[in-house]
Amino acid sequence: MSVRVLVLSADYGPRAWSGIGIAVAQQARALRRLGIEAHVLLGTPPNQAAPAAAMQGESFVHRLSAQRCPLEPREFDLIHLHSLALSELALQLRQRFGLPLIYTAHSLLHLELEAGAVAAFWCKLQRHMLAASDQVVFLSVAERAAAIELMPEVAARSEVIPNGVPPPPEPRPAPEGEAPIVFAGRFARSKGIELLAELLGRLCARRRCHVILAGGHADEIGERVVSRIAACFAHACTLVGWLEHTQLEQLFARAAIVLVPSLYEPFGLVALEAMRVGAPVLAAATGGLVEIVSDDSGGRLVHSRDPEVWCEQALNIIGTPALAHELRRRGPPYVAAHFTLERTVQRLRQVYAAHARRA
């Protein structure tokens, strides 16, 4: 009998505003190809537009409204929660219908958020969900270890299942002309936006640069820093907002280098997506990035927060065609060998089978 999974998320591709939205969309499609009857119940935040699921032809994506639930919970075997914003709904469904609850912790908020009343609320909610879930999925070994340090009881109910990505596209020729330096993601302090600003200042002072920043949803620090970047480097920097997945893939494919200077990074999907299409990656040696960017991958790690060190390593890649070519060559097969979407959903299927109500 096929397992029916109710997936709860506040974000969904193709125009996702977080790694959660990209991962949920890719996993839901892959699970259905595998025979798992996954339905996504999407509760977008008030300031976000719901994706046009009907236009995508994805009838398994449903918009949650305040008036009614568009699905019958009794028809499902378990809940898979991806977004803490839907925690209350997940707990209500679990209690009322006896549905096992799987929670993927896409980040640990006590490590990601700046201290304050809002952060305290979300951190408390996450600890509650870590305690209440039947199984917790972490994206990296580092994240699971940090969670166990916070709550030792999570060890017996958790495992690591890294995000996976689709197979690399057909190889493209190396970009011609002035390839851009790219940063993609949330404009937040945790993503290293302050280091990025200092790094760009040094790069633009030492060579002609074309910088593209793709993303948004800035926190207070990020908003201030990005405004400064836009003002100081107006001649060299372009802000393109959030891109659909295919547009982001095309941007990565023609990048001279993709910068991932995260201060905190639970996984590092941007680095993975960039290497998948052959973009050289320069990433911070922190969190899940250490588990993604290895010596035989299409990227290099920087074991420093010094912007001058970052500048030297970035210039080394950009200014050494043989090195850039080698990183481009390594990236796609490395990702295909270690981070396939099929491997991720096969692991999820095992979790579902172990916990499904009718298993």
Side-chain angles (χ1 to χ4, degrees):
M1 183 178 294
S2 174
V3 175
R4 290 175 56 88
V5 182
L6 182 57
V7 179
L8 303 182
S9 178
D11 191 18
Y12 191 84
R15 188 175 284 275
W17 51 269
S18 70
I20 295 177
I22 295 172
V24 169
Q26 291 180 344
Q27 288 177 20
R29 296 164 191 150
L31 286 167
R32 293 181 69 86
R33 290 195 297 268
L34 200 61
I36 303 294
E37 199 169 343
H39 285 259
V40 179
L41 191 53
L42 183 65
T44 53
N47 62 335
Q48 299 299 322
M55 293 177 62
Q56 300 167 21
E58 295 186 325
S59 59
F60 58 89
V61 181
H62 312 268
R63 181 75 166 95
L64 180 65
S65 71
Q67 288 73 36
R68 66 182 185 88
C69 180
L71 299 169
E72 173 51 66
R74 294 179 181 85
E75 296 179 355
F76 290 88
D77 302 308
L78 57 85
I79 303 162
H80 190 167
L81 174 69
H82 286 270
S83 299
L84 279 176
L86 299 178
S87 295
E88 183 178 355
L89 174 62
L91 292 172
Q92 288 179 354
L93 294 174
R94 184 176 189 266
Q95 181 178 6
R96 288 183 60 187
F97 303 104
L99 296 175
L101 175 59
I102 312 299
Y103 168 45
T104 292
H106 288 268
S107 67
L108 292 175
L109 299 184
H110 71 288
L111 300 179
E112 181 177 19
L113 300 180
E114 295 294 309
V118 173
F121 167 82
W122 287 107
C123 290
K124 181 179 179 181
L125 178 59
Q126 184 171 60
R127 287 194 295 269
H128 181 63
M129 294 310 300
L130 290 172
S133 299
D134 296 286
Q135 186 78 1
V136 181
V137 174
F138 296 101
L139 303 182
S140 65
V141 173
E143 283 288 280
R144 182 172 182 267
I148 292 172
E149 184 177 352
L150 177 70
M151 298 177 62
E153 64 272 24
V154 172
R157 294 180 291 102
S158 65
E159 62 182 289
V160 175
I161 303 180
N163 283 328
V165 292
E170 290 297 317
R172 298 182 175 94
E176 297 180 0
E178 187 181 6
I181 296 169
V182 174
F183 171 89
R186 288 186 294 111
F187 299 156
R189 184 173 186 270
S190 64
K191 296 300 181 182
I193 198 73
E194 295 165 297
L195 173 57
L196 178 70
E198 295 187 62
L199 168 59
L200 293 180
R202 284 166 168 77
L203 286 174
C204 291
R206 294 173 64 172
R207 64 174 290 136
R208 180 179 175 181
C209 294
H210 176 206
V211 179
I212 297 179
L213 306 185
H217 289 82
D219 56 19
E220 184 177 345
I221 292 174
E223 185 173 347
R224 188 165 60 247
V225 171
V226 170
S227 295
R228 188 169 74 246
I229 291 174
C232 295
F233 309 110
H235 62 290
C237 184
T238 304
L239 276 66
V240 296
W242 290 106
L243 300 177
E244 291 192 6
H245 189 259
T246 54
Q247 295 173 312
L248 187 61
E249 179 181 288
Q250 292 166 3
L251 175 60
F252 285 156
R254 62 187 181 91
I257 191 171
V258 174
L259 302 172
V260 191
S262 303
L263 185 62
Y264 162 73
E265 189 59 71
F267 180 67
L269 188 58
V270 165
L272 199 63
E273 292 276 13
M275 290 191 294
R276 170 180 169 267
V277 297
V281 168
L282 191 63
T286 186
L289 288 168
V290 178
E291 300 167 38
I292 291 176
V293 183
S294 65
D295 291 341
D296 58 341
S297 74
R300 286 190 164 182
L301 293 172
V302 184
H303 296 265
S304 172
R305 302 299 298 174
D306 184 342
E308 186 60 32
V309 174
W310 275 78
C311 183
E312 290 294 338
Q313 295 207 26
L315 289 173
N316 185 39
I317 293 173
I318 296 170
T320 310
L323 174 57
H325 174 76
E326 181 62 16
L327 293 175
R328 289 185 182 282
R329 184 191 67 79
R330 289 180 187 173
Y334 171 82
V335 173
H338 299 284
F339 294 97
T340 64
L341 187 57
E342 288 70 22
R343 181 180 298 182
T344 297
V345 296
Q346 287 284 3
R347 296 275 302 278
L348 286 174
R349 180 164 69 172
Q350 294 172 357
V351 172
Y352 295 162
H355 292 277
R357 183 170 54 180
R358 294 202 302 258

